[in-house]
Amino acid sequence: MAKNLRVVLKEAEAKRVAVGHFNISDLVALKAIFEAAREISVPVMIGTSEGEGDFVGRKQAAALVRVLREEFDYPIFLNSDHTKSFEKVKEAVAAGYDEILFDGSKLTFEENVKKTKEVVEYVKSVNPEILVEGEVGYIGSASEVREELPEGAAIKPEDLTTPEEAKQFVYETGVDMLAPAVGNLHGMFANMPDPNLDIARIRAIKDAVKLPLVLHGGSGNTDEDFRMAIQAGVVVVHINTEIRLAWRKGLEAGLSSNPKEVAPYKIFPLAFEGVKGVVLKRLKLFNKLDASLV
Ligand code: G3H
Ligand code: ZN
């Protein structure tokens, strides 16, 4: 039987590698992500945000991931990403998600602690095997290509998560995993890399909480920042905008190279290849399998 998520995270932590987490809105992306992971035999996480989960259907997403896990005896897991309402938490738990990220990062610290604690208590009362992640520090909400910083996102040192806050949050809520604001941002810039991550802060937070740290907003960060962040204690890296962009470019190419085609399965392969290429590159880097390190 495939290992559970807790074990997979422990193993990644011990090897100082990270599990790649990729969001989906459709079967094309799911298939591409799964094939990329299988090609190099590494565990992988699939995420659905509230919007993505509403579109795909939570039961449907859970069924698709479960079928892949069972048919191929493969460590593939599903996370209810950036879940902001208790109602969606309940839906994801009932559907059979492996992880719930409760996102209270826009609330005050006290409210965030209170709500996250309620979510942990609820989830564990239904199924203690489901992992709960909490988020401290706002990093912008949309996975989009943009020209400027999202309003209110933590990027100045005084807005980033401190080790003390992280420790208190983890202690009071009982979360299994933590997503801090360490200079990371959701989305990516059209013509430049994301700002550098605060690696020393990642290390200090890791020392303070001793839990798996999750790096959100991975699109647009440099390879070197990823390597250092993983070395400092990041165990899961989230990528969304880069695959959305690859999906769209592939779809446009598929449509323009077959102007009369109406069979979706003849149009989608370029979107599939585009997403798979991005995922493969990121998974190799996160798992220390990229050429520059071999
Ligand atoms: O939870 C999703 C991620 O944090 C995605 O961020 O769109 O910047 O890759 P990204
Ligand atoms: Zn995120």
Side-chain angles (χ1 to χ4, degrees):
M1 217 176 74
K3 299 164 191 159
N4 69 23
L5 181 55
R6 198 183 288 278
V7 171
V8 164
L9 296 181
K10 275 250 157 307
E11 288 180 357
E13 205 159 22
K15 288 195 259 176
R16 297 244 170 198
V17 298
V19 180
H21 171 296
F22 306 92
N23 293 67
I24 62 157
S25 298
D26 72 358
L27 203 52
V28 175
L30 176 62
K31 192 173 146 68
I33 295 162
F34 185 58
E35 286 202 12
R38 278 188 81 211
E39 200 164 304
I40 54 171
S41 298
V42 296
V44 70
M45 295 182 72
I46 301 296
T48 60
S49 64
E50 285 196 346
E52 290 159 343
D54 287 344
F55 182 75
V56 178
R58 288 178 184 75
K59 282 190 186 154
Q60 289 73 12
L64 288 165
V65 169
R66 188 171 51 246
V67 164
L68 291 173
R69 179 157 61 205
E70 289 173 2
E71 182 180 349
F72 296 90
D73 190 22
Y74 202 87
I76 177 168
F77 306 98
L78 183 61
N79 171 39
S80 178
D81 206 20
H82 297 287
T83 319
K84 299 183 178 94
S85 77
F86 211 86
E87 184 202 334
K88 306 282 181 197
V89 168
K90 285 186 170 166
E91 270 185 42
V93 168
Y97 277 58
D98 304 288
E99 192 214 314
I100 310 284
L101 159 56
F102 177 72
D103 181 351
S105 62
K106 273 206 128 174
L107 306 172
T108 61
F109 183 80
E110 291 70 28
E111 270 294 295
N112 190 6
V113 166
K114 186 168 170 278
K115 292 243 161 65
T116 307
K117 186 167 186 261
E118 283 167 15
V119 168
V120 172
E121 282 167 2
Y122 170 75
V123 172
K124 301 296 175 182
S125 74
V126 179
N127 181 356
E129 289 297 302
I130 301 174
L131 302 186
V132 181
E133 176 183 336
E135 184 161 340
V136 183
Y138 181 59
I139 60 168
S141 61
S143 284
E144 62 193 7
V145 180
R146 67 168 72 88
E147 308 292 329
E148 50 191 41
L149 280 180
E151 207 182 322
I155 177 86
K156 299 193 289 298
E158 59 270 28
D159 297 332
L160 302 182
T161 309
T162 64
E164 297 72 30
E165 269 173 343
K167 191 171 181 174
Q168 188 186 344
F169 182 85
V170 164
Y171 177 75
E172 291 187 19
T173 60
V175 290
D176 303 291
M177 308 154 73
L178 183 71
V182 289
N184 46 335
L185 288 170
H186 279 137
M188 60 194 278
F189 293 96
N191 294 313
M192 57 179 172
D194 275 15
N196 285 339
L197 300 171
D198 188 336
I199 304 296
R201 187 178 298 265
I202 296 175
R203 196 168 293 115
I205 293 174
K206 176 74 183 175
D207 283 349
V209 303
K210 304 197 169 34
L211 285 183
L213 295 186
V214 181
L215 182 70
H216 283 260
S219 295
N221 282 108
T222 63
D223 289 4
E224 196 44 31
D225 256 9
F226 280 128
R227 287 193 189 102
M228 291 191 297
I230 293 166
Q231 210 48 35
V234 163
V235 177
V236 178
V237 181
H238 283 226
I239 302 279
N240 194 358
T241 313
E242 289 180 2
I243 55 178
R244 285 182 169 182
L245 194 60
W247 180 92
R248 184 181 172 113
K249 283 187 179 159
L251 185 61
E252 283 171 349
L255 289 168
S256 60
S257 56
N258 304 287
K260 298 227 160 67
E261 187 55 69
V262 293
Y265 72 91
K266 293 184 183 167
I267 296 169
F268 283 143
L270 291 177
F272 166 85
E273 288 303 337
V275 174
K276 186 177 169 191
V278 168
V279 174
L280 200 51
K281 187 166 158 265
R282 287 314 193 190
L283 283 176
K284 284 182 180 170
L285 177 71
F286 301 160
N287 287 279
K288 296 187 188 157
L289 298 169
D290 55 324
S292 63
L293 288 180
V294 175

